[in-house]
Amino acid sequence: MTNRTSAVPDSTLSSPRGGEVPRQHFWQNLVVACVSLAWSGGFLFMSLALPAGHSRGDVGPGSLPMQVSIFGLVVSAVYLVQVLRGSDLGGSSDKIDVARVAGLLGLFVAVVLGANWVGLAICLGVGTGVATLLFPGEKPLLRAVATGFSFWLIAWGLFGKLLDLPLP
C-alpha cells in the first residue's frame, strides 16, 4: 500500500502540497473579477444619470440599466469572493489569441461609434455577425447571417417596436 489518496498515478485528485489546491489561474480570475466590478460600477454610475419616472408607478428609463448593473455588481462580488477563497474557476492555460481579442475590441468600438450614423439595430446585427466569423465552427457564413439577423431582430423588434425605446 502506498501513502497516496488515489490509486491512479499522477492523479490530480489528491492535492500535491498537503491539502493546498494549486491556483493556476488566480491572477487571470482576479483581473476578470476586478474588471467586472469596475464595469458594473461604471454602468450603475451612468444609469443614475438617466431621468427618473414621470409619474407614480412609472419606473423611468433608468430603472432597467440600474437593475442590470446592480445584478452585475452582485455577481462580480460573488466571483471575487470565490477567487479570493482559492477556487480555481478556470482560465487560459495557453497563449491568449491577441489578434482575435484585438479584432473583437475593434469591432466593439466600431459598433459603438457607428450606431449614431447607421443605427443601433443594424450595427448590432452586423457587429455580431462579423464577430462570429472570428471563431471556428461549421458553416461560418450561415452562422454569421443567422446571428446578425437575430441580434438585429431583437434590437429592432423588441426594443424599438415592442418597448418603443428610441434607438439611435
Side-chain angles (χ1 to χ4, degrees), residues 124-125 128-132 141-153:
L124 282 175
T128 55
V130 172
T132 60
L141 290 177
L142 179 64
R143 263 191 357 216
V145 169
T147 303
F149 178 76
S150 299
F151 270 78
W152 170 81
L153 187 63

